[in-house]
mmCIF file of all heavy atoms in Angstrom:
data_model
loop_
_atom_site.group_PDB
_atom_site.id
_atom_site.type_symbol
_atom_site.label_atom_id
_atom_site.label_comp_id
_atom_site.label_asym_id
_atom_site.label_seq_id
_atom_site.Cartn_x
_atom_site.Cartn_y
_atom_site.Cartn_z
ATOM 1 N N ARG A 1 9.433 5.516 6.646
ATOM 2 C CA ARG A 1 9.602 5.497 5.181
ATOM 3 C C ARG A 1 9.610 4.047 4.664
ATOM 4 O O ARG A 1 10.450 3.661 3.841
ATOM 5 C CB ARG A 1 10.908 6.201 4.777
ATOM 6 C CG ARG A 1 10.986 7.672 5.177
ATOM 7 C CD ARG A 1 10.030 8.523 4.362
ATOM 8 N NE ARG A 1 10.283 9.942 4.486
ATOM 9 C CZ ARG A 1 9.691 10.752 5.371
ATOM 10 N NH1 ARG A 1 8.814 10.240 6.223
ATOM 11 N NH2 ARG A 1 9.965 12.031 5.398
ATOM 12 N N GLU A 2 8.680 3.266 5.158
ATOM 13 C CA GLU A 2 8.714 1.821 4.906
ATOM 14 C C GLU A 2 8.530 1.439 3.447
ATOM 15 O O GLU A 2 9.228 0.559 2.934
ATOM 16 C CB GLU A 2 7.650 1.129 5.775
ATOM 17 C CG GLU A 2 7.969 1.189 7.256
ATOM 18 C CD GLU A 2 6.855 0.609 8.119
ATOM 19 O OE1 GLU A 2 6.214 -0.380 7.689
ATOM 20 O OE2 GLU A 2 6.628 1.129 9.216
ATOM 21 N N LEU A 3 7.611 2.081 2.760
ATOM 22 C CA LEU A 3 7.366 1.705 1.364
ATOM 23 C C LEU A 3 8.498 2.167 0.453
ATOM 24 O O LEU A 3 8.858 1.465 -0.497
ATOM 25 C CB LEU A 3 6.024 2.255 0.894
ATOM 26 C CG LEU A 3 4.797 1.636 1.584
ATOM 27 C CD1 LEU A 3 3.514 2.252 1.059
ATOM 28 C CD2 LEU A 3 4.764 0.124 1.394
ATOM 29 N N ASP A 4 9.068 3.328 0.738
ATOM 30 C CA ASP A 4 10.224 3.788 -0.041
ATOM 31 C C ASP A 4 11.398 2.829 0.149
ATOM 32 O O ASP A 4 12.102 2.479 -0.814
ATOM 33 C CB ASP A 4 10.642 5.194 0.403
ATOM 34 C CG ASP A 4 9.623 6.256 0.023
ATOM 35 O OD1 ASP A 4 8.807 5.994 -0.877
ATOM 36 O OD2 ASP A 4 9.631 7.339 0.650
ATOM 37 N N ALA A 5 11.610 2.410 1.394
ATOM 38 C CA ALA A 5 12.713 1.491 1.684
ATOM 39 C C ALA A 5 12.499 0.153 0.990
ATOM 40 O O ALA A 5 13.440 -0.425 0.421
ATOM 41 C CB ALA A 5 12.833 1.282 3.200
ATOM 42 N N LEU A 6 11.270 -0.331 1.004
ATOM 43 C CA LEU A 6 10.976 -1.619 0.374
ATOM 44 C C LEU A 6 11.188 -1.562 -1.129
ATOM 45 O O LEU A 6 11.781 -2.474 -1.723
ATOM 46 C CB LEU A 6 9.539 -2.034 0.685
ATOM 47 C CG LEU A 6 9.052 -3.343 0.048
ATOM 48 C CD1 LEU A 6 9.926 -4.514 0.464
ATOM 49 C CD2 LEU A 6 7.593 -3.607 0.430
ATOM 50 N N SER A 7 10.744 -0.491 -1.765
ATOM 51 C CA SER A 7 10.865 -0.360 -3.209
ATOM 52 C C SER A 7 12.326 -0.380 -3.656
ATOM 53 O O SER A 7 12.703 -1.124 -4.569
ATOM 54 C CB SER A 7 10.195 0.930 -3.684
ATOM 55 O OG SER A 7 10.308 1.064 -5.081
ATOM 56 N N SER A 8 13.153 0.413 -3.002
ATOM 57 C CA SER A 8 14.567 0.460 -3.393
ATOM 58 C C SER A 8 15.285 -0.841 -3.058
ATOM 59 O O SER A 8 16.169 -1.287 -3.789
ATOM 60 C CB SER A 8 15.273 1.641 -2.706
ATOM 61 O OG SER A 8 15.275 1.491 -1.304
ATOM 62 N N THR A 9 14.873 -1.470 -1.959
ATOM 63 C CA THR A 9 15.497 -2.735 -1.553
ATOM 64 C C THR A 9 15.242 -3.832 -2.571
ATOM 65 O O THR A 9 16.139 -4.636 -2.882
ATOM 66 C CB THR A 9 14.974 -3.175 -0.177
ATOM 67 O OG1 THR A 9 15.264 -2.161 0.781
ATOM 68 C CG2 THR A 9 15.619 -4.485 0.260
ATOM 69 N N LEU A 10 14.023 -3.894 -3.102
ATOM 70 C CA LEU A 10 13.693 -4.924 -4.082
ATOM 71 C C LEU A 10 14.630 -4.846 -5.287
ATOM 72 O O LEU A 10 15.192 -5.862 -5.727
ATOM 73 C CB LEU A 10 12.239 -4.785 -4.520
ATOM 74 C CG LEU A 10 11.193 -5.224 -3.491
ATOM 75 C CD1 LEU A 10 9.800 -4.746 -3.903
ATOM 76 C CD2 LEU A 10 11.207 -6.738 -3.312
ATOM 77 N N ASP A 11 14.817 -3.646 -5.812
ATOM 78 C CA ASP A 11 15.675 -3.492 -6.992
ATOM 79 C C ASP A 11 17.137 -3.794 -6.668
ATOM 80 O O ASP A 11 17.833 -4.464 -7.442
ATOM 81 C CB ASP A 11 15.546 -2.078 -7.551
ATOM 82 C CG ASP A 11 14.179 -1.835 -8.182
ATOM 83 O OD1 ASP A 11 13.552 -2.808 -8.637
ATOM 84 O OD2 ASP A 11 13.724 -0.676 -8.194
ATOM 85 N N ASP A 12 17.602 -3.302 -5.525
ATOM 86 C CA ASP A 12 19.002 -3.520 -5.165
ATOM 87 C C ASP A 12 19.271 -4.985 -4.826
ATOM 88 O O ASP A 12 20.336 -5.526 -5.143
ATOM 89 C CB ASP A 12 19.393 -2.623 -3.989
ATOM 90 C CG ASP A 12 19.555 -1.170 -4.400
ATOM 91 O OD1 ASP A 12 19.604 -0.904 -5.616
ATOM 92 O OD2 ASP A 12 19.621 -0.298 -3.509
ATOM 93 N N ALA A 13 18.300 -5.624 -4.177
ATOM 94 C CA ALA A 13 18.457 -7.039 -3.842
ATOM 95 C C ALA A 13 18.538 -7.884 -5.105
ATOM 96 O O ALA A 13 19.345 -8.816 -5.191
ATOM 97 C CB ALA A 13 17.311 -7.510 -2.957
ATOM 98 N N PHE A 14 17.714 -7.550 -6.089
ATOM 99 C CA PHE A 14 17.753 -8.285 -7.357
ATOM 100 C C PHE A 14 19.127 -8.172 -7.999
ATOM 101 O O PHE A 14 19.663 -9.146 -8.542
ATOM 102 C CB PHE A 14 16.683 -7.765 -8.311
ATOM 103 C CG PHE A 14 16.646 -8.474 -9.635
ATOM 104 C CD1 PHE A 14 15.899 -9.629 -9.803
ATOM 105 C CD2 PHE A 14 17.398 -8.004 -10.710
ATOM 106 C CE1 PHE A 14 15.883 -10.304 -11.018
ATOM 107 C CE2 PHE A 14 17.393 -8.673 -11.935
ATOM 108 C CZ PHE A 14 16.634 -9.820 -12.085
ATOM 109 N N SER A 15 19.717 -6.981 -7.920
ATOM 110 C CA SER A 15 21.006 -6.750 -8.587
ATOM 111 C C SER A 15 22.143 -7.527 -7.941
ATOM 112 O O SER A 15 23.132 -7.851 -8.610
ATOM 113 C CB SER A 15 21.336 -5.253 -8.605
ATOM 114 O OG SER A 15 21.672 -4.788 -7.307
ATOM 115 N N VAL A 16 22.036 -7.836 -6.641
ATOM 116 C CA VAL A 16 23.120 -8.572 -5.974
ATOM 117 C C VAL A 16 22.765 -10.043 -5.753
ATOM 118 O O VAL A 16 23.544 -10.789 -5.150
ATOM 119 C CB VAL A 16 23.489 -7.925 -4.613
ATOM 120 C CG1 VAL A 16 24.023 -6.523 -4.830
ATOM 121 C CG2 VAL A 16 22.308 -7.927 -3.644
ATOM 122 N N LEU A 17 21.617 -10.470 -6.271
ATOM 123 C CA LEU A 17 21.183 -11.856 -6.107
ATOM 124 C C LEU A 17 21.819 -12.743 -7.173
ATOM 125 O O LEU A 17 21.761 -12.442 -8.368
ATOM 126 C CB LEU A 17 19.661 -11.934 -6.196
ATOM 127 C CG LEU A 17 18.993 -13.261 -5.819
ATOM 128 C CD1 LEU A 17 19.162 -13.532 -4.316
ATOM 129 C CD2 LEU A 17 17.508 -13.235 -6.185
ATOM 130 N N ALA A 18 22.400 -13.835 -6.756
ATOM 131 C CA ALA A 18 23.027 -14.775 -7.691
ATOM 132 C C ALA A 18 21.966 -15.583 -8.430
ATOM 133 O O ALA A 18 20.847 -15.749 -7.932
ATOM 134 C CB ALA A 18 23.949 -15.716 -6.927
ATOM 135 N N PRO A 19 22.286 -16.072 -9.629
ATOM 136 C CA PRO A 19 21.345 -16.965 -10.324
ATOM 137 C C PRO A 19 20.982 -18.149 -9.421
ATOM 138 O O PRO A 19 21.850 -18.745 -8.779
ATOM 139 C CB PRO A 19 22.147 -17.417 -11.548
ATOM 140 C CG PRO A 19 23.108 -16.298 -11.794
ATOM 141 C CD PRO A 19 23.487 -15.798 -10.429
ATOM 142 N N GLY A 20 19.702 -18.470 -9.375
ATOM 143 C CA GLY A 20 19.237 -19.526 -8.487
ATOM 144 C C GLY A 20 18.916 -19.035 -7.088
ATOM 145 O O GLY A 20 18.346 -19.774 -6.269
ATOM 146 N N GLY A 21 19.298 -17.789 -6.807
ATOM 147 C CA GLY A 21 19.024 -17.205 -5.494
ATOM 148 C C GLY A 21 17.560 -16.854 -5.323
ATOM 149 O O GLY A 21 16.829 -16.678 -6.296
ATOM 150 N N ARG A 22 17.132 -16.740 -4.075
ATOM 151 C CA ARG A 22 15.723 -16.461 -3.789
ATOM 152 C C ARG A 22 15.543 -15.250 -2.875
ATOM 153 O O ARG A 22 16.359 -14.987 -1.992
ATOM 154 C CB ARG A 22 15.059 -17.680 -3.145
ATOM 155 C CG ARG A 22 14.876 -18.857 -4.100
ATOM 156 C CD ARG A 22 14.129 -19.994 -3.426
ATOM 157 N NE ARG A 22 13.855 -21.092 -4.358
ATOM 158 C CZ ARG A 22 13.181 -22.180 -4.038
ATOM 159 N NH1 ARG A 22 12.698 -22.314 -2.808
ATOM 160 N NH2 ARG A 22 12.969 -23.137 -4.938
ATOM 161 N N ILE A 23 14.446 -14.545 -3.117
ATOM 162 C CA ILE A 23 14.010 -13.473 -2.234
ATOM 163 C C ILE A 23 12.696 -13.933 -1.617
ATOM 164 O O ILE A 23 11.745 -14.272 -2.332
ATOM 165 C CB ILE A 23 13.797 -12.153 -3.000
ATOM 166 C CG1 ILE A 23 15.112 -11.666 -3.619
ATOM 167 C CG2 ILE A 23 13.223 -11.075 -2.078
ATOM 168 C CD1 ILE A 23 14.963 -10.450 -4.517
ATOM 169 N N ALA A 24 12.631 -13.953 -0.294
ATOM 170 C CA ALA A 24 11.419 -14.356 0.428
ATOM 171 C C ALA A 24 10.980 -13.200 1.319
ATOM 172 O O ALA A 24 11.766 -12.726 2.150
ATOM 173 C CB ALA A 24 11.690 -15.600 1.265
ATOM 174 N N ILE A 25 9.751 -12.735 1.124
ATOM 175 C CA ILE A 25 9.269 -11.559 1.848
ATOM 176 C C ILE A 25 7.925 -11.856 2.497
ATOM 177 O O ILE A 25 6.972 -12.277 1.834
ATOM 178 C CB ILE A 25 9.153 -10.338 0.925
ATOM 179 C CG1 ILE A 25 10.516 -10.037 0.275
ATOM 180 C CG2 ILE A 25 8.650 -9.123 1.702
ATOM 181 C CD1 ILE A 25 10.517 -8.822 -0.630
ATOM 182 N N ILE A 26 7.853 -11.601 3.798
ATOM 183 C CA ILE A 26 6.603 -11.737 4.540
ATOM 184 C C ILE A 26 6.000 -10.345 4.687
ATOM 185 O O ILE A 26 6.618 -9.453 5.280
ATOM 186 C CB ILE A 26 6.837 -12.361 5.925
ATOM 187 C CG1 ILE A 26 7.504 -13.731 5.786
ATOM 188 C CG2 ILE A 26 5.513 -12.491 6.681
ATOM 189 C CD1 ILE A 26 8.000 -14.311 7.103
ATOM 190 N N THR A 27 4.814 -10.161 4.125
ATOM 191 C CA THR A 27 4.128 -8.867 4.183
ATOM 192 C C THR A 27 2.947 -8.936 5.158
ATOM 193 O O THR A 27 2.442 -10.017 5.457
ATOM 194 C CB THR A 27 3.613 -8.440 2.801
ATOM 195 O OG1 THR A 27 2.585 -9.365 2.380
ATOM 196 C CG2 THR A 27 4.726 -8.430 1.777
ATOM 197 N N PHE A 28 2.498 -7.745 5.598
ATOM 198 C CA PHE A 28 1.425 -7.707 6.596
ATOM 199 C C PHE A 28 0.277 -6.776 6.237
ATOM 200 O O PHE A 28 -0.694 -6.693 6.989
ATOM 201 C CB PHE A 28 1.996 -7.321 7.970
ATOM 202 C CG PHE A 28 2.788 -8.418 8.600
ATOM 203 C CD1 PHE A 28 4.138 -8.558 8.337
ATOM 204 C CD2 PHE A 28 2.189 -9.342 9.430
ATOM 205 C CE1 PHE A 28 4.885 -9.585 8.894
ATOM 206 C CE2 PHE A 28 2.914 -10.378 10.000
ATOM 207 C CZ PHE A 28 4.266 -10.491 9.728
ATOM 208 N N HIS A 29 0.386 -6.059 5.131
ATOM 209 C CA HIS A 29 -0.762 -5.261 4.689
ATOM 210 C C HIS A 29 -0.729 -5.142 3.171
ATOM 211 O O HIS A 29 0.280 -5.431 2.522
ATOM 212 C CB HIS A 29 -0.819 -3.893 5.375
ATOM 213 C CG HIS A 29 0.387 -3.026 5.164
ATOM 214 N ND1 HIS A 29 0.634 -2.359 3.988
ATOM 215 C CD2 HIS A 29 1.416 -2.713 5.986
ATOM 216 C CE1 HIS A 29 1.749 -1.667 4.095
ATOM 217 N NE2 HIS A 29 2.248 -1.867 5.291
ATOM 218 N N SER A 30 -1.841 -4.725 2.616
ATOM 219 C CA SER A 30 -2.037 -4.787 1.162
ATOM 220 C C SER A 30 -1.067 -3.915 0.388
ATOM 221 O O SER A 30 -0.682 -4.259 -0.733
ATOM 222 C CB SER A 30 -3.481 -4.387 0.814
ATOM 223 O OG SER A 30 -3.756 -3.072 1.252
ATOM 224 N N LEU A 31 -0.628 -2.792 0.953
ATOM 225 C CA LEU A 31 0.252 -1.883 0.218
ATOM 226 C C LEU A 31 1.610 -2.523 -0.063
ATOM 227 O O LEU A 31 2.092 -2.511 -1.197
ATOM 228 C CB LEU A 31 0.438 -0.575 0.997
ATOM 229 C CG LEU A 31 -0.813 0.280 1.189
ATOM 230 C CD1 LEU A 31 -0.499 1.455 2.106
ATOM 231 C CD2 LEU A 31 -1.332 0.786 -0.154
ATOM 232 N N GLU A 32 2.222 -3.084 0.985
ATOM 233 C CA GLU A 32 3.532 -3.713 0.763
ATOM 234 C C GLU A 32 3.384 -5.018 -0.008
ATOM 235 O O GLU A 32 4.227 -5.347 -0.856
ATOM 236 C CB GLU A 32 4.260 -3.931 2.099
ATOM 237 C CG GLU A 32 3.528 -4.795 3.099
ATOM 238 C CD GLU A 32 4.126 -4.723 4.482
ATOM 239 O OE1 GLU A 32 4.932 -3.792 4.763
ATOM 240 O OE2 GLU A 32 3.780 -5.586 5.328
ATOM 241 N N ASP A 33 2.298 -5.754 0.233
ATOM 242 C CA ASP A 33 2.087 -7.010 -0.489
ATOM 243 C C ASP A 33 1.911 -6.749 -1.983
ATOM 244 O O ASP A 33 2.454 -7.466 -2.822
ATOM 245 C CB ASP A 33 0.869 -7.743 0.068
ATOM 246 C CG ASP A 33 0.714 -9.122 -0.545
ATOM 247 O OD1 ASP A 33 1.649 -9.933 -0.428
ATOM 248 O OD2 ASP A 33 -0.337 -9.395 -1.153
ATOM 249 N N ARG A 34 1.165 -5.710 -2.309
ATOM 250 C CA ARG A 34 0.947 -5.353 -3.711
ATOM 251 C C ARG A 34 2.260 -4.963 -4.383
ATOM 252 O O ARG A 34 2.533 -5.348 -5.522
ATOM 253 C CB ARG A 34 -0.058 -4.203 -3.806
ATOM 254 C CG ARG A 34 -0.586 -3.924 -5.217
ATOM 255 C CD ARG A 34 -1.583 -2.775 -5.195
ATOM 256 N NE ARG A 34 -2.633 -3.008 -4.208
ATOM 257 C CZ ARG A 34 -3.013 -2.112 -3.296
ATOM 258 N NH1 ARG A 34 -2.433 -0.928 -3.235
ATOM 259 N NH2 ARG A 34 -3.977 -2.400 -2.451
ATOM 260 N N MET A 35 3.080 -4.189 -3.680
ATOM 261 C CA MET A 35 4.365 -3.773 -4.239
ATOM 262 C C MET A 35 5.255 -4.975 -4.520
ATOM 263 O O MET A 35 5.862 -5.082 -5.602
ATOM 264 C CB MET A 35 5.082 -2.815 -3.276
ATOM 265 C CG MET A 35 6.435 -2.356 -3.785
ATOM 266 S SD MET A 35 7.308 -1.289 -2.608
ATOM 267 C CE MET A 35 6.304 0.199 -2.695
ATOM 268 N N VAL A 36 5.341 -5.898 -3.573
ATOM 269 C CA VAL A 36 6.173 -7.090 -3.749
ATOM 270 C C VAL A 36 5.651 -7.937 -4.896
ATOM 271 O O VAL A 36 6.414 -8.372 -5.778
ATOM 272 C CB VAL A 36 6.228 -7.913 -2.446
ATOM 273 C CG1 VAL A 36 6.919 -9.250 -2.675
ATOM 274 C CG2 VAL A 36 6.933 -7.127 -1.353
ATOM 275 N N LYS A 37 4.345 -8.162 -4.935
ATOM 276 C CA LYS A 37 3.736 -8.982 -5.982
ATOM 277 C C LYS A 37 3.982 -8.392 -7.364
ATOM 278 O O LYS A 37 4.369 -9.099 -8.306
ATOM 279 C CB LYS A 37 2.234 -9.113 -5.727
ATOM 280 C CG LYS A 37 1.500 -9.973 -6.745
ATOM 281 C CD LYS A 37 0.015 -10.039 -6.418
ATOM 282 C CE LYS A 37 -0.745 -10.869 -7.448
ATOM 283 N NZ LYS A 37 -2.198 -10.928 -7.149
ATOM 284 N N GLU A 38 3.774 -7.084 -7.488
ATOM 285 C CA GLU A 38 3.944 -6.432 -8.789
ATOM 286 C C GLU A 38 5.395 -6.455 -9.246
ATOM 287 O O GLU A 38 5.681 -6.659 -10.431
ATOM 288 C CB GLU A 38 3.415 -4.996 -8.729
ATOM 289 C CG GLU A 38 1.896 -4.929 -8.627
ATOM 290 C CD GLU A 38 1.376 -3.510 -8.487
ATOM 291 O OE1 GLU A 38 2.208 -2.579 -8.324
ATOM 292 O OE2 GLU A 38 0.143 -3.327 -8.526
ATOM 293 N N ARG A 39 6.347 -6.244 -8.321
ATOM 294 C CA ARG A 39 7.763 -6.243 -8.698
ATOM 295 C C ARG A 39 8.200 -7.650 -9.109
ATOM 296 O O ARG A 39 8.914 -7.818 -10.100
ATOM 297 C CB ARG A 39 8.619 -5.738 -7.539
ATOM 298 C CG ARG A 39 10.028 -5.291 -7.954
ATOM 299 C CD ARG A 39 9.979 -4.053 -8.851
ATOM 300 N NE ARG A 39 9.285 -2.973 -8.237
ATOM 301 C CZ ARG A 39 9.809 -2.074 -7.393
ATOM 302 N NH1 ARG A 39 11.086 -2.145 -7.074
ATOM 303 N NH2 ARG A 39 9.077 -1.105 -6.899
ATOM 304 N N PHE A 40 7.765 -8.647 -8.369
ATOM 305 C CA PHE A 40 8.094 -10.021 -8.734
ATOM 306 C C PHE A 40 7.531 -10.360 -10.119
ATOM 307 O O PHE A 40 8.214 -10.965 -10.952
ATOM 308 C CB PHE A 40 7.521 -10.998 -7.707
ATOM 309 C CG PHE A 40 8.298 -11.083 -6.406
ATOM 310 C CD1 PHE A 40 9.375 -10.249 -6.154
ATOM 311 C CD2 PHE A 40 7.942 -12.013 -5.428
ATOM 312 C CE1 PHE A 40 10.086 -10.323 -4.959
ATOM 313 C CE2 PHE A 40 8.643 -12.103 -4.243
ATOM 314 C CZ PHE A 40 9.709 -11.266 -4.002
ATOM 315 N N ASN A 41 6.266 -9.958 -10.354
ATOM 316 C CA ASN A 41 5.642 -10.237 -11.656
ATOM 317 C C ASN A 41 6.355 -9.521 -12.792
ATOM 318 O O ASN A 41 6.484 -10.060 -13.906
ATOM 319 C CB ASN A 41 4.166 -9.832 -11.632
ATOM 320 C CG ASN A 41 3.318 -10.780 -10.811
ATOM 321 O OD1 ASN A 41 3.718 -11.906 -10.541
ATOM 322 N ND2 ASN A 41 2.139 -10.334 -10.401
ATOM 323 N N GLU A 42 6.831 -8.320 -12.517
ATOM 324 C CA GLU A 42 7.573 -7.549 -13.529
ATOM 325 C C GLU A 42 8.844 -8.271 -13.927
ATOM 326 O O GLU A 42 9.199 -8.337 -15.112
ATOM 327 C CB GLU A 42 7.904 -6.168 -12.949
ATOM 328 C CG GLU A 42 8.645 -5.235 -13.885
ATOM 329 C CD GLU A 42 8.972 -3.915 -13.220
ATOM 330 O OE1 GLU A 42 8.126 -3.400 -12.455
ATOM 331 O OE2 GLU A 42 10.086 -3.416 -13.446
#
């Protein structure tokens, strides 16, 4: 359930991230890379 886990993690990580904090994600295929890119852009 990798894509489901990634999607929920992005939102939850943002909610617990302090101002100035960073999220760094290494992706390996277009599906997860696209999800990360789109969420960051949003």
